[in-house]
Amino acid sequence: MITQNENSLKGKHLLTLADWSTEDIQQILNYAIQLKKEKQPKQLLAGKTLGMIFEKSSTRTRVSFEVGMLQLGGHALHLSSRDIQMGRGESIADTAKVLSRYLDGIMIRTFQHEIVEQLAEHAEIPVINGLTDDYHPCQVLADLMTILEYKNTFSGQKLAYVGDGNNMAHSLMIGSAKVGLNCTIITPKNYEPKKEIVLKAKEIAQKTGAEIVVTHELKEGIRDADAVYTDVWASMGWEDEANERVSAFQEYQVNEEMLELVHPDYIFMHCLPAHRGEEVTAEVIDGPNSVVFDEAENRLHVQKALMASVM
């Protein structure tokens, strides 16, 4: 178990993995693997309370944080936009200052990334980004943990992400760059990740030796991949573009024909929820190489390690 003297993350916000060092990320991954092996929950956060602000609904984020707090001996409060005054015009700064007097940590799942940044700027307690339109760091910590479990290393491994250049693509690039994992993002034209985030990931990768590639070329992009990742074509907030996106993405479906180009021992990953028959076929997501439910379970272990470290 990590001791207080060994923990360098106490009081730290998690807004994006770009703000954390490689050592910080490795500490969380090692701690999560340790907690998973131990199985018996320890009262590491007894008497502590986490406020969970949800402006976007969720299955895995809510359940993993809430169960994680329970297993660590603490308590989690679910706060929808209808439950707090921030949804009725109270400033983010005032909300942060008030919640800091009541809570020991805040997890927020929202739209604009600036909301999380403002909350963290004015909070006196750790703020964890549960998802924004630009980043999903908690999911990627679980993804990295899953790759480590199945491949035992990041060095020399290739992660190929196929689909929309969304918050998942952004955080996968940043997280991969931090740990030295090669990452290729494969998107249709006009659906690329944000240029400034690609540049940030490539800058980080120069320090770790990772290769970050963004391409429209599906066959070359996915060739020799060790892990293949996809996400829904129309993320939350983009549902009105669903029909347009089906047309743009149909050649980027992850299927058995595509996977003939990857390594035979590849793992298939998806952050869930999945739309079988759209971004991935049922044969792949329910097949022997799929690790999506291990990946989903690891949200719990990573979140416990994260909360125990920062709170």
Side-chain angles (χ1 to χ4, degrees), residues 22 25-26 29 144 154-155 174-181 204 208 210:
T22 297
I25 293 169
Q26 196 65 58
L29 297 179
L144 293 175
F154 297 123
S155 179
I174 297 291
S176 296
K178 284 286 185 178
V179 300
L181 172 66
I204 295 167
T208 62

Side-chain angles (χ1 to χ4, degrees), residues 59-108:
T59 300
R60 280 149 292 277
T61 298
R62 176 174 180 179
V63 175
S64 57
F65 272 104
E66 195 161 335
V67 171
M69 277 299 288
L70 177 66
Q71 291 184 359
L72 293 172
H75 181 71
L77 293 171
H78 178 271
L79 305 170
S80 74
S81 55
R82 297 184 301 274
D83 297 323
I84 57 176
Q85 297 301 323
M86 196 170 84
R88 298 188 180 94
E90 182 173 51
S91 73
I92 296 170
D94 286 357
T95 299
K97 291 172 184 176
V98 169
L99 292 181
S100 295
R101 303 295 181 100
Y102 298 143
L103 305 170
D104 301 285
I106 299 169
M107 187 284 298
I108 179 168

Side-chain angles (χ1 to χ4, degrees), residues 208-228:
T208 62
E211 185 179 18
I212 306 297
V213 175
V214 177
T215 181
H216 304 304
E217 299 299 326
L218 179 57
K219 289 184 178 180
E220 285 308 308
I222 202 166
R223 193 180 301 278
D224 297 329
D226 300 284
V228 178

Side-chain angles (χ1 to χ4, degrees), residues 276-288:
R276 287 166 172 79
E278 288 191 11
E279 72 272 8
V280 60
T281 61
E283 290 79 11
V284 171
I285 193 170
D286 297 322

